[in-house]
Amino acid sequence: SYVLTQPPSLSVAPGKTASITCGGNNIGSKSVHWYQQRPGQAPVLVVYYDNDRPSGIPERFSGSNSGNTATLTISTVEAGDEADYYCQVWDSSSDDVVFGGGTRLTVL
Amino acid sequence: QVKLQESGPGLVRPSETLSLTCTVSGGSVSSDIHYWGWIRQPPGKGLEWIGNIYSRGTTNYNTSLKSRVTISIDTSRNQFSLRVTSVTAADTALYYCARLLNLGSGWTLDYWGQGTLVTVSS
């Protein structure tokens, strides 16, 4: 089965840029989606199809995907961005939805 | 605005069957372009996909859970449901329902319910 690997944690100072990675075998050939989960809340889609944003998501959230790594970039980080972030793909060979293990973003 | 709401017992005995329902408002489970799915999250852990269903009844399940999981759909009530048989403590989790969208290159989950906690304990 397809495996997505994320760093467990990342700490960033307010106003700086956070880059959260998601590794997978030839992930650049797949579409990657990113979810934000604030404490005690349900996940929210923040980036889909590599670099599109749903309505209402700030432009500070962007994504890229190439080779074996996809990246969620959050520019000008705010305290409200503190959350767990999950990447997700659809594995066409197994028809499975696959999630990464999640990255906890801490705003210092 | 699409809304999804999970409902069902919060406590299930070991070896029994977990049953949850997701009620959809602001959208239709009969949609031609959406699937409907279940995801769970054990306390303090990450997200695990359980399975999906299409309005015509086509299903797809996580291989690791396939033998114990059934997802069904009731278009007349605009609901879909989850059953997990022979539950153990390992099935204790927050259970989420979600809408899945495919724009041509894979599924994304664009709307989620608030989740419901199911505890397996005697």
Side-chain angles (χ1 to χ4, degrees), chain B residues 7-113:
Chain B
S7 60
L11 179 65
V12 182
R13 307 279 187 213
S15 80
E16 295 190 347
T17 297
L18 178 162
S19 296
L20 296 174
T21 295
C22 182
T23 301
V24 179
S25 58
S28 173
V29 299
S30 299
S31 166
D32 286 339
I33 63 170
H34 297 110
Y35 274 51
W36 306 90
W38 290 95
I39 303 91
R40 69 182 184 178
Q41 185 173 35
K45 296 189 177 180
L47 302 170
E48 179 182 35
W49 170 71
I50 300 172
N52 308 330
I53 191 165
Y54 185 55
S55 60
R56 290 170 177 76
T58 304
T59 54
N60 190 37
Y61 300 126
N62 185 321
T63 303
S64 67
L65 298 169
K66 190 171 185 176
S67 63
R68 298 192 295 125
V69 170
T70 302
I71 298 176
S72 58
I73 196 164
D74 185 340
T75 55
S76 67
R77 297 188 176 189
N78 219 30
Q79 296 176 334
F80 60 103
S81 299
L82 170 71
R83 283 169 48 93
V84 182
T85 61
S86 305
V87 298
T88 69
D91 294 306
T92 294
L94 255 177
Y95 284 77
Y96 294 101
C97 60
R99 189 181 81 170
L100 289 87
L101 172 68
N102 189 338
L103 295 179
S105 58
W107 295 98
T108 183
L109 293 81
D110 61 349
Y111 286 95
W112 296 63

Side-chain angles (χ1 to χ4, degrees), chain A residues 28 35 37 42 97:
Chain A
Y35 304 87
Q37 186 178 32
V97 170

Side-chain angles (χ1 to χ4, degrees), chain A residues 7-58:
Chain A
S9 62
L10 178 68
S11 298
V12 177
K16 299 298 186 182
T17 296
S19 295
I20 300 172
T21 59
C22 176
N25 184 32
N26 196 26
I27 195 173
S29 67
K30 302 180 183 298
S31 293
V32 179
H33 317 287
W34 292 91
Y35 304 87
Q36 176 194 66
Q37 186 178 32
R38 292 189 174 111
Q41 297 187 20
V44 172
L45 181 66
V46 292
V47 167
Y48 64 121
Y49 293 101
D50 295 343
N51 194 23
D52 283 328
R53 282 185 313 278
S55 172
I57 300 301

